[in-house]
Amino acid sequence: MKMKKIIAPVLSLSLMVPAAGAFAADMNSTTMAAPTVSTKAADLRAGLDYLLSEHFKLAVEAMTKAYSGAPDAAEAYKALDQNAVDMGPAIESIYGKQAATEFERIFRAHNQYTDELVKATKMNNQAAVKQAEAKVQGFVDEFAAFLAKATDNKLPEAAAEKALRLHEDEVQDVFEKYIAGDYTGAAKEYREGLNTMFTVSKALSGAIVAQNPSKFDNGTVDTPAADLRSALNHLAAEHFALSVMQMQQQYDGKTQASDAWINAEAGNTADFKAAIASIYGQAGANQFEQIWVTNHIKAQSDYVDALKKGDQSALTAVKNRIEQFTKEFATFLGTATANNLPASAAEQALMTHEGQVQAVINDYAAKNYAAAYTADREGYKTMFGIGEALGGAIVKQYPDKFKMASAPTTQPSTPAKQPTTSTPAPSKPMNENMMMVWMKLNSKTLKIDGKTTMMDTMPMVVGNTTYIPLRYLGEGIGAKVAWNKASNEVTVMAGSDTMKFWIGKDTVVVNGKNMKLSAKAMINKDGRTVVPLRSITELLGWDVKWNTADGSITLTKSM
């Protein structure tokens, strides 16, 4: 059930990711045999990371602003449409001009359908809502067929339809929670939806490389170095996106929404800290957090307050704090990477980033919305130079950790430091067709084929039943998990298989067939869906091994 079949809009072969520029480490000494973040396959994945995630970001912004009647709503939709236009050259470079023209027709129209859905929802016109939803589903069906044809069915139409439907549901879920005033839920779903786009970009780029191996020097998109680059892309891009959302909401006086996005930023900071810890240890992670938060995250909020009051003295003071942050953080990066990423280059890039964030809110406050979205898109794009530059410096610093023959201990979307356990977590099995998943009771550590991430909940025992978090297991093995709040229904899509659970029920439907669970699926104290271990492993055909000494669980399956 690896993500060989999942698909989303085919994007970047022509590299729409900016060069690392001033932030780039000197990679001239890298040899052909040395691991590197900068291969044609990794570049393709990075391009997909950028364009797919930006589409999600802009779609959410456009829909929420249109519903609330924000004065920049029209510019938000223009930016969303331009994102689709920007995909055209990439499509043409892979599949030709005719395919690019057809792609643009389908994809740009789909952005319009979301606008129609927002307007119908705002008017509470249920007939118009259903009509708009039907158009969105029509897009899903048509685009899935397009992808299947373009790839000679290497990306099957049914699998493409499921993935596209999931993306549309995630955008809609953020929108519905936001307009209902559930800002905490909206911010949480926003992070999950953005994360999905990076997962999809890895799968899609892998499929394209497999389809066109000679164009990519017979490389792969999932090397340890490429995983690191993408993980850093994700963290940096999410930071920028959340910052812009939070600062605009704060400026508009939407306190509850602003607070929810501040909490989301804290989650991003925690993930960044875990990534630093996985490479440089807890002391380095603690130092990162102190620098990152005080004169960076908090300073951005103070900047908005000063801007709104028109207090030039306070504004100058905040700018000085932010400049101090760029110097401190640049020094930290230079020292941590043993100068593989020079502090001077890091400082220049950080100043560019801070200037772009400030430009967005300055133009927004001045009601120059076209300029605000130009700065927004440029700032978001800039973050995708960071993964290549910082990742390249780390790989150059620790080449042995990133060799293909010996993958690094941590290359997840949210890297984390290896846990200390009485029984070490297993690495990837010798059989390359075997997938291995490792969890531990009362631990948030999850390993998929030796790669570590941190969950926000943990396996647990209730009564005589062991429960495991469904979302992380599903995403880790390449399945997609969707939640329907109205019906308390959880849908798991893995390749051509579909499973449906209902919270509080001991029934499950697998490919249309009703079956029984050994216990009821439920929501734990962390707000996560957990399912009985024995039932889920039996249904998915996994072998389970327990370590009673330390409570670890190892799942294996031939894929």
Side-chain angles (χ1 to χ4, degrees):
M1 292 192 302
K2 290 183 179 178
M3 296 182 63
K4 294 178 179 177
K5 296 182 179 180
I6 196 167
I7 181 65
V10 179
L11 308 179
S12 166
L13 177 61
S14 59
L15 299 179
M16 294 191 171
V17 177
F23 205 18
D26 179 8
M27 305 302 288
N28 292 335
S29 61
T30 301
T31 66
M32 291 299 291
T36 175
V37 301
S38 302
T39 65
K40 289 183 179 180
D43 288 345
L44 171 67
R45 179 177 172 185
L48 286 166
D49 282 347
Y50 162 52
L51 288 169
L52 277 172
S53 64
E54 190 193 41
H55 166 73
F56 176 87
K57 170 186 178 295
L58 293 172
V60 169
E61 290 177 9
M63 292 177 73
T64 54
K65 287 178 179 291
Y67 185 87
S68 61
D72 61 331
E75 292 297 335
Y77 270 106
K78 286 181 182 178
L80 177 62
D81 182 61
Q82 188 59 47
N83 168 267
V85 173
D86 290 346
M87 297 178 189
I91 298 294
E92 184 173 349
S93 69
I94 300 171
Y95 297 113
K97 187 173 182 60
Q98 184 176 354
T101 301
E102 181 69 355
F103 162 84
E104 184 172 321
R105 179 190 68 79
I106 298 171
F107 204 80
R108 293 181 75 181
H110 129 264
N111 288 336
Q112 180 60 42
Y113 302 154
T114 60
D115 184 33
E116 293 176 12
L117 180 59
V118 170
K119 291 175 180 176
T121 302
K122 188 171 184 178
M123 293 186 296
N124 196 26
N125 185 334
Q126 293 305 309
V129 168
K130 290 182 179 180
Q131 184 178 19
E133 288 177 341
K135 288 183 177 181
V136 172
Q137 183 59 47
F139 154 75
V140 169
D141 295 337
E142 185 176 21
F143 196 51
F146 167 83
L147 293 170
K149 182 178 180 181
T151 61
D152 296 326
N153 208 42
K154 290 183 180 294
L155 297 166
E157 185 174 344
E161 190 276 336
K162 288 180 181 178
L164 291 167
R165 185 67 260 172
L166 175 64
H167 161 63
E168 294 297 333
D169 288 345
E170 287 177 326
V171 172
Q172 183 73 6
D173 198 22
V174 178
F175 170 68
E176 289 177 351
K177 282 181 168 60
Y178 189 89
I179 65 175
D182 180 9
Y183 302 119
T184 298
K188 182 178 179 181
E189 293 296 331
Y190 181 91
R191 293 194 70 203
E192 293 182 0
L194 193 70
N195 178 67
T196 291
M197 307 313 283
F198 285 84
T199 302
V200 170
S201 69
K202 180 177 181 179
L204 178 56
S205 59
I208 294 173
V209 169
Q211 184 188 14
N212 305 279
S214 61
K215 287 186 177 181
F216 298 94
D217 299 332
N218 296 307
T220 63
V221 302
D222 58 352
T223 65
D227 284 347
L228 175 65
R229 176 181 175 181
S230 183
L232 293 171
N233 280 347
H234 179 191
L235 290 167
E238 184 183 56
H239 159 67
F240 182 89
L242 293 174
S243 294
V244 169
M245 292 278 281
Q246 184 278 320
M247 293 174 78
Q248 288 185 353
Q249 289 162 349
Q250 181 183 345
Y251 186 87
D252 290 338
K254 298 178 180 177
T255 303
Q256 290 183 324
S258 174
D259 289 346
W261 252 259
I262 287 175
N263 288 334
E265 287 185 276
N268 173 265
T269 297
D271 290 347
F272 237 135
K273 182 180 178 181
I276 298 297
S278 72
I279 301 168
Y280 297 113
Q282 195 59 47
N286 291 340
Q287 184 181 359
F288 157 81
E289 183 178 34
Q290 183 178 3
I291 298 171
W292 184 259
V293 174
T294 305
N295 287 326
H296 180 44
I297 301 297
K298 291 181 180 178
Q300 289 178 344
S301 179
D302 293 341
Y303 185 94
V304 175
D305 284 340
L307 181 67
K308 192 171 182 178
K309 294 175 183 177
D311 188 336
Q312 292 302 315
S313 177
L315 208 56
T316 298
V318 175
K319 288 181 178 180
N320 289 337
R321 286 170 55 197
I322 292 173
E323 184 176 355
Q324 181 183 347
F325 155 73
T326 63
K327 294 180 183 297
E328 289 180 343
F329 194 50
T331 299
F332 169 82
L333 291 173
T335 302
T337 63
N339 210 43
N340 283 291
L341 178 57
S344 59
E347 183 179 348
Q348 183 178 343
L350 289 166
M351 285 298 294
T352 298
H353 160 62
E354 292 298 337
Q356 289 169 329
V357 172
Q358 292 171 24
V360 176
I361 191 64
N362 288 345
D363 287 328
Y364 183 80
K367 304 186 188 312
N368 189 352
Y369 301 123
Y373 276 96
T374 296
D376 186 10
R377 295 200 67 204
E378 289 176 353
Y380 190 76
K381 188 176 183 179
T382 293
M383 306 311 283
F384 287 81
I386 291 176
E388 183 174 10
L390 180 55
I394 293 170
V395 170
K396 186 178 179 182
Q397 185 180 13
Y398 300 113
D400 290 345
K401 289 186 177 182
F402 295 90
K403 290 180 179 178
M404 284 295 291
S406 179
T409 56
T410 57
Q411 292 311 321
S413 58
T414 312
K417 188 176 181 179
Q418 288 284 357
T420 300
T421 62
S422 57
T423 301
S427 59
K428 185 173 177 60
M430 293 298 291
N431 180 357
E432 290 298 319
N433 293 321
M434 181 75 72
M435 176 171 277
M436 181 178 289
V437 178
W438 183 93
M439 299 180 180
K440 185 179 177 182
L441 291 176
N442 303 316
S443 170
K444 293 185 178 182
T445 300
L446 170 69
K447 279 181 168 284
I448 306 291
D449 285 346
K451 299 178 182 180
T452 305
T453 189
M454 296 300 287
M455 304 180 285
D456 58 8
T457 189
M458 59 187 71
M460 61 184 184
V461 175
V462 178
N464 295 320
T465 301
T466 299
Y467 284 88
I468 58 176
L470 180 62
R471 172 196 165 199
Y472 287 96
L473 175 65
E475 291 182 359
I477 63 177
K480 302 304 295 179
V481 180
W483 163 246
N484 185 322
K485 182 178 179 180
S487 61
N488 276 336
E489 178 184 281
V490 181
T491 302
V492 182
M493 294 169 286
S496 60
D497 297 319
T498 300
M499 304 170 63
K500 290 187 177 182
F501 300 86
W502 288 266
I503 303 304
K505 296 183 180 181
D506 61 357
T507 57
V508 60
V509 177
V510 182
N511 295 329
K513 182 179 179 181
N514 291 324
M515 304 178 73
K516 281 284 186 180
L517 296 171
S518 58
K520 296 178 180 179
M522 64 181 188
I523 303 293
N524 68 7
K525 63 181 180 62
D526 297 318
R528 290 299 186 191
T529 300
V530 291
V531 294
L533 171 65
R534 182 168 68 85
S535 293
I536 195 68
T537 52
E538 287 177 355
L539 290 169
L540 295 175
W542 287 76
D543 178 64
V544 183
K545 291 185 179 180
W546 272 93
N547 186 319
T548 56
D550 66 359
S552 62
I553 307 162
T554 302
L555 311 178
T556 56
K557 182 179 180 180
S558 295
M559 308 308 288

PDB file of all heavy atoms in Angstrom, residues 310-328:
ATOM      1  N   GLY A 310       0.220  52.901  14.253  1.00  0.00           N
ATOM      2  CA  GLY A 310       0.978  53.947  13.587  1.00  0.00           C
ATOM      3  C   GLY A 310       2.110  54.472  14.446  1.00  0.00           C
ATOM      4  O   GLY A 310       2.533  55.629  14.305  1.00  0.00           O
ATOM      5  N   ASP A 311       2.595  53.645  15.348  1.00  0.00           N
ATOM      6  CA  ASP A 311       3.643  54.019  16.293  1.00  0.00           C
ATOM      7  C   ASP A 311       5.004  53.750  15.659  1.00  0.00           C
ATOM      8  O   ASP A 311       5.525  52.631  15.702  1.00  0.00           O
ATOM      9  CB  ASP A 311       3.479  53.211  17.582  1.00  0.00           C
ATOM     10  CG  ASP A 311       4.413  53.680  18.696  1.00  0.00           C
ATOM     11  OD1 ASP A 311       5.456  54.268  18.384  1.00  0.00           O
ATOM     12  OD2 ASP A 311       4.091  53.415  19.869  1.00  0.00           O
ATOM     13  N   GLN A 312       5.597  54.781  15.065  1.00  0.00           N
ATOM     14  CA  GLN A 312       6.853  54.601  14.344  1.00  0.00           C
ATOM     15  C   GLN A 312       8.006  54.230  15.266  1.00  0.00           C
ATOM     16  O   GLN A 312       8.900  53.468  14.889  1.00  0.00           O
ATOM     17  CB  GLN A 312       7.193  55.888  13.587  1.00  0.00           C
ATOM     18  CG  GLN A 312       6.235  56.189  12.444  1.00  0.00           C
ATOM     19  CD  GLN A 312       6.195  55.054  11.420  1.00  0.00           C
ATOM     20  OE1 GLN A 312       7.227  54.531  11.016  1.00  0.00           O
ATOM     21  NE2 GLN A 312       4.987  54.696  10.995  1.00  0.00           N
ATOM     22  N   SER A 313       8.001  54.749  16.479  1.00  0.00           N
ATOM     23  CA  SER A 313       9.050  54.412  17.432  1.00  0.00           C
ATOM     24  C   SER A 313       9.006  52.932  17.787  1.00  0.00           C
ATOM     25  O   SER A 313      10.037  52.241  17.799  1.00  0.00           O
ATOM     26  CB  SER A 313       8.890  55.251  18.706  1.00  0.00           C
ATOM     27  OG  SER A 313       9.866  54.877  19.663  1.00  0.00           O
ATOM     28  N   ALA A 314       7.801  52.427  18.059  1.00  0.00           N
ATOM     29  CA  ALA A 314       7.647  51.006  18.376  1.00  0.00           C
ATOM     30  C   ALA A 314       7.987  50.143  17.168  1.00  0.00           C
ATOM     31  O   ALA A 314       8.573  49.055  17.302  1.00  0.00           O
ATOM     32  CB  ALA A 314       6.221  50.731  18.840  1.00  0.00           C
ATOM     33  N   LEU A 315       7.627  50.626  15.991  1.00  0.00           N
ATOM     34  CA  LEU A 315       7.909  49.878  14.764  1.00  0.00           C
ATOM     35  C   LEU A 315       9.420  49.745  14.551  1.00  0.00           C
ATOM     36  O   LEU A 315       9.921  48.674  14.192  1.00  0.00           O
ATOM     37  CB  LEU A 315       7.259  50.591  13.579  1.00  0.00           C
ATOM     38  CG  LEU A 315       6.839  49.749  12.364  1.00  0.00           C
ATOM     39  CD1 LEU A 315       5.900  48.639  12.778  1.00  0.00           C
ATOM     40  CD2 LEU A 315       6.181  50.638  11.327  1.00  0.00           C
ATOM     41  N   THR A 316      10.133  50.824  14.799  1.00  0.00           N
ATOM     42  CA  THR A 316      11.594  50.788  14.657  1.00  0.00           C
ATOM     43  C   THR A 316      12.207  49.829  15.664  1.00  0.00           C
ATOM     44  O   THR A 316      13.142  49.073  15.345  1.00  0.00           O
ATOM     45  CB  THR A 316      12.176  52.197  14.860  1.00  0.00           C
ATOM     46  OG1 THR A 316      11.660  53.069  13.854  1.00  0.00           O
ATOM     47  CG2 THR A 316      13.694  52.170  14.767  1.00  0.00           C
ATOM     48  N   ALA A 317      11.671  49.827  16.881  1.00  0.00           N
ATOM     49  CA  ALA A 317      12.184  48.932  17.922  1.00  0.00           C
ATOM     50  C   ALA A 317      11.976  47.466  17.535  1.00  0.00           C
ATOM     51  O   ALA A 317      12.860  46.628  17.740  1.00  0.00           O
ATOM     52  CB  ALA A 317      11.511  49.236  19.256  1.00  0.00           C
ATOM     53  N   VAL A 318      10.820  47.166  16.975  1.00  0.00           N
ATOM     54  CA  VAL A 318      10.533  45.786  16.568  1.00  0.00           C
ATOM     55  C   VAL A 318      11.451  45.373  15.417  1.00  0.00           C
ATOM     56  O   VAL A 318      11.975  44.257  15.390  1.00  0.00           O
ATOM     57  CB  VAL A 318       9.059  45.623  16.157  1.00  0.00           C
ATOM     58  CG1 VAL A 318       8.817  44.216  15.614  1.00  0.00           C
ATOM     59  CG2 VAL A 318       8.152  45.879  17.341  1.00  0.00           C
ATOM     60  N   LYS A 319      11.645  46.291  14.478  1.00  0.00           N
ATOM     61  CA  LYS A 319      12.539  45.983  13.362  1.00  0.00           C
ATOM     62  C   LYS A 319      13.955  45.697  13.854  1.00  0.00           C
ATOM     63  O   LYS A 319      14.643  44.815  13.316  1.00  0.00           O
ATOM     64  CB  LYS A 319      12.549  47.132  12.358  1.00  0.00           C
ATOM     65  CG  LYS A 319      11.273  47.267  11.536  1.00  0.00           C
ATOM     66  CD  LYS A 319      11.385  48.423  10.547  1.00  0.00           C
ATOM     67  CE  LYS A 319      10.131  48.548   9.690  1.00  0.00           C
ATOM     68  NZ  LYS A 319      10.230  49.675   8.732  1.00  0.00           N
ATOM     69  N   ASN A 320      14.375  46.408  14.871  1.00  0.00           N
ATOM     70  CA  ASN A 320      15.700  46.160  15.436  1.00  0.00           C
ATOM     71  C   ASN A 320      15.771  44.779  16.084  1.00  0.00           C
ATOM     72  O   ASN A 320      16.792  44.092  15.987  1.00  0.00           O
ATOM     73  CB  ASN A 320      16.043  47.241  16.468  1.00  0.00           C
ATOM     74  CG  ASN A 320      16.311  48.591  15.827  1.00  0.00           C
ATOM     75  OD1 ASN A 320      16.664  48.669  14.646  1.00  0.00           O
ATOM     76  ND2 ASN A 320      16.157  49.662  16.590  1.00  0.00           N
ATOM     77  N   ARG A 321      14.690  44.379  16.745  1.00  0.00           N
ATOM     78  CA  ARG A 321      14.641  43.035  17.330  1.00  0.00           C
ATOM     79  C   ARG A 321      14.715  41.971  16.243  1.00  0.00           C
ATOM     80  O   ARG A 321      15.410  40.954  16.390  1.00  0.00           O
ATOM     81  CB  ARG A 321      13.353  42.858  18.138  1.00  0.00           C
ATOM     82  CG  ARG A 321      13.338  43.596  19.464  1.00  0.00           C
ATOM     83  CD  ARG A 321      11.949  43.567  20.070  1.00  0.00           C
ATOM     84  NE  ARG A 321      11.442  42.198  20.199  1.00  0.00           N
ATOM     85  CZ  ARG A 321      10.151  41.903  20.394  1.00  0.00           C
ATOM     86  NH1 ARG A 321       9.243  42.875  20.449  1.00  0.00           N
ATOM     87  NH2 ARG A 321       9.777  40.655  20.519  1.00  0.00           N
ATOM     88  N   ILE A 322      13.982  42.195  15.162  1.00  0.00           N
ATOM     89  CA  ILE A 322      13.972  41.221  14.074  1.00  0.00           C
ATOM     90  C   ILE A 322      15.353  41.137  13.424  1.00  0.00           C
ATOM     91  O   ILE A 322      15.831  40.049  13.083  1.00  0.00           O
ATOM     92  CB  ILE A 322      12.893  41.594  13.036  1.00  0.00           C
ATOM     93  CG1 ILE A 322      11.500  41.411  13.654  1.00  0.00           C
ATOM     94  CG2 ILE A 322      13.041  40.747  11.771  1.00  0.00           C
ATOM     95  CD1 ILE A 322      10.369  41.907  12.787  1.00  0.00           C
ATOM     96  N   GLU A 323      16.015  42.286  13.279  1.00  0.00           N
ATOM     97  CA  GLU A 323      17.372  42.275  12.732  1.00  0.00           C
ATOM     98  C   GLU A 323      18.318  41.512  13.657  1.00  0.00           C
ATOM     99  O   GLU A 323      19.202  40.776  13.198  1.00  0.00           O
ATOM    100  CB  GLU A 323      17.872  43.705  12.539  1.00  0.00           C
ATOM    101  CG  GLU A 323      19.249  43.775  11.886  1.00  0.00           C
ATOM    102  CD  GLU A 323      19.714  45.195  11.612  1.00  0.00           C
ATOM    103  OE1 GLU A 323      18.911  46.129  11.849  1.00  0.00           O
ATOM    104  OE2 GLU A 323      20.864  45.376  11.172  1.00  0.00           O
ATOM    105  N   GLN A 324      18.105  41.658  14.964  1.00  0.00           N
ATOM    106  CA  GLN A 324      18.906  40.910  15.930  1.00  0.00           C
ATOM    107  C   GLN A 324      18.679  39.413  15.764  1.00  0.00           C
ATOM    108  O   GLN A 324      19.616  38.613  15.840  1.00  0.00           O
ATOM    109  CB  GLN A 324      18.548  41.330  17.355  1.00  0.00           C
ATOM    110  CG  GLN A 324      19.364  40.606  18.440  1.00  0.00           C
ATOM    111  CD  GLN A 324      18.925  41.002  19.847  1.00  0.00           C
ATOM    112  OE1 GLN A 324      18.196  41.976  20.041  1.00  0.00           O
ATOM    113  NE2 GLN A 324      19.355  40.231  20.827  1.00  0.00           N
ATOM    114  N   PHE A 325      17.412  39.040  15.536  1.00  0.00           N
ATOM    115  CA  PHE A 325      17.105  37.624  15.306  1.00  0.00           C
ATOM    116  C   PHE A 325      17.872  37.085  14.104  1.00  0.00           C
ATOM    117  O   PHE A 325      18.442  35.992  14.160  1.00  0.00           O
ATOM    118  CB  PHE A 325      15.602  37.431  15.083  1.00  0.00           C
ATOM    119  CG  PHE A 325      15.266  36.203  14.276  1.00  0.00           C
ATOM    120  CD1 PHE A 325      15.372  34.938  14.829  1.00  0.00           C
ATOM    121  CD2 PHE A 325      14.876  36.316  12.940  1.00  0.00           C
ATOM    122  CE1 PHE A 325      15.083  33.794  14.078  1.00  0.00           C
ATOM    123  CE2 PHE A 325      14.590  35.188  12.181  1.00  0.00           C
ATOM    124  CZ  PHE A 325      14.696  33.918  12.755  1.00  0.00           C
ATOM    125  N   THR A 326      17.876  37.828  13.003  1.00  0.00           N
ATOM    126  CA  THR A 326      18.549  37.324  11.796  1.00  0.00           C
ATOM    127  C   THR A 326      20.034  37.095  12.055  1.00  0.00           C
ATOM    128  O   THR A 326      20.613  36.121  11.552  1.00  0.00           O
ATOM    129  CB  THR A 326      18.371  38.298  10.612  1.00  0.00           C
ATOM    130  OG1 THR A 326      18.998  39.540  10.911  1.00  0.00           O
ATOM    131  CG2 THR A 326      16.898  38.516  10.298  1.00  0.00           C
ATOM    132  N   LYS A 327      20.644  37.965  12.842  1.00  0.00           N
ATOM    133  CA  LYS A 327      22.072  37.800  13.151  1.00  0.00           C
ATOM    134  C   LYS A 327      22.293  36.587  14.048  1.00  0.00           C
ATOM    135  O   LYS A 327      23.203  35.769  13.821  1.00  0.00           O
ATOM    136  CB  LYS A 327      22.617  39.061  13.820  1.00  0.00           C
ATOM    137  CG  LYS A 327      22.634  40.295  12.920  1.00  0.00           C
ATOM    138  CD  LYS A 327      23.184  41.498  13.659  1.00  0.00           C
ATOM    139  CE  LYS A 327      23.131  42.756  12.792  1.00  0.00           C
ATOM    140  NZ  LYS A 327      23.969  42.630  11.582  1.00  0.00           N
ATOM    141  N   GLU A 328      21.461  36.464  15.086  1.00  0.00           N
ATOM    142  CA  GLU A 328      21.612  35.349  16.034  1.00  0.00           C
ATOM    143  C   GLU A 328      21.345  34.009  15.363  1.00  0.00           C
ATOM    144  O   GLU A 328      22.085  33.038  15.567  1.00  0.00           O
ATOM    145  CB  GLU A 328      20.666  35.534  17.214  1.00  0.00           C
ATOM    146  CG  GLU A 328      21.057  36.653  18.160  1.00  0.00           C
ATOM    147  CD  GLU A 328      20.090  36.802  19.321  1.00  0.00           C
ATOM    148  OE1 GLU A 328      18.960  36.264  19.227  1.00  0.00           O
ATOM    149  OE2 GLU A 328      20.456  37.449  20.315  1.00  0.00           O
TER     150      GLU A 328
END
